[in-house]
Structure formats: C-alpha cells, structure tokens
Amino acid sequence: MFIRTKPAIIRTAAIGTAVGAATFFGAVGQASADVQPGAYTSTTLSSGIVLLQRGARVEGGDLVLIGRYPIHSTPGGGYVDLFPGHRVVLISDGHGGYNGPAYFDGAVIGAIALTPQR
C-alpha cells in the first residue's frame, strides 16, 4: 500500500523542523563564540570561482563590507544577513579566519571566506 503525501505537508514539516532547529541553536548561540574584530580579506566564491575579493573588517559586532551588517553569534562563529533572503555563515577555521556557505532563499549559492590581514 502506497501513501501519497501532499507537497504542502512535506513543506510544512520541513519549515517546522527548520524553525525548531533555529530556535534551539539560536538559544545555544547566545553564549557562544563571536567573530573576532579586525581587518580581513573577504572572498566570495561560487562553484569554486572567485567572484569578489575585497577588504572587510569586523568592528562593534558588525561585518563592514559594502555596508554595515550585524553579526549574529553561533557556536562556531556567526552569520550575517546581507539583505532579505541572502545569508552568509562564518565558521571559524581555527586559524583566525572564517568561512562558510552563502545562501539565497535557503539554497546554497556559494561561499564566503574571511582571511585575517596581518
């Protein structure tokens, strides 16, 4: 016997799971690592190709890139919402830098790397 599930039910379950995880990890992230202040080189990649490389800095809890964006702390670093639907995740690389996926409307569209300027 086969059971047919409507796409709306699957979508609702996925959204509920995502909201639950965000709530749980958001609460955990309050007492977590922060992205360290300083000067960085920001590299934006898509499919392994460098799209943009420019100077960036972290100051006052914000990523200062093309604009000034608040960094939301997570256990491994943080994330930044650059504009509605576009989020970059900054995961510590253990060597003073950060890298992670870039999302648009929940789909991975590339990656970001913050490399400390020394």
Side-chain angles (χ1 to χ4, degrees):
M1 174 180 202
F2 293 101
I3 299 174
R4 291 186 174 237
T5 306
K6 292 184 178 185
I9 294 171
I10 294 171
R11 190 172 34 248
T12 301
I15 290 170
T17 301
V19 168
T23 300
F24 174 75
F25 288 114
V28 172
Q30 296 304 316
S32 63
D34 288 322
V35 176
Q36 295 301 306
Y40 294 88
T41 299
S42 171
T43 305
T44 305
L45 304 122
S46 183
S47 300
I49 298 169
V50 174
L51 299 178
L52 179 65
Q53 192 168 48
R54 64 180 303 144
R57 28 182 228 286
V58 172
E59 61 182 37
D62 293 339
L63 173 63
V64 181
L65 194 50
I66 296 169
R68 190 174 190 102
Y69 310 96
I71 300 171
H72 305 277
S73 292
T74 64
Y79 70 88
V80 177
D81 290 324
L82 298 170
F83 55 84
H86 186 37
R87 174 174 288 179
V88 294
V89 178
L90 303 171
I91 303 165
S92 174
D93 65 7
H95 302 286
Y98 300 86
N99 54 55
Y103 296 94
F104 186 73
D105 284 340
V108 176
I109 59 168
I112 187 170
L114 290 181
T115 308
Q117 294 179 357
R118 304 210 191 259

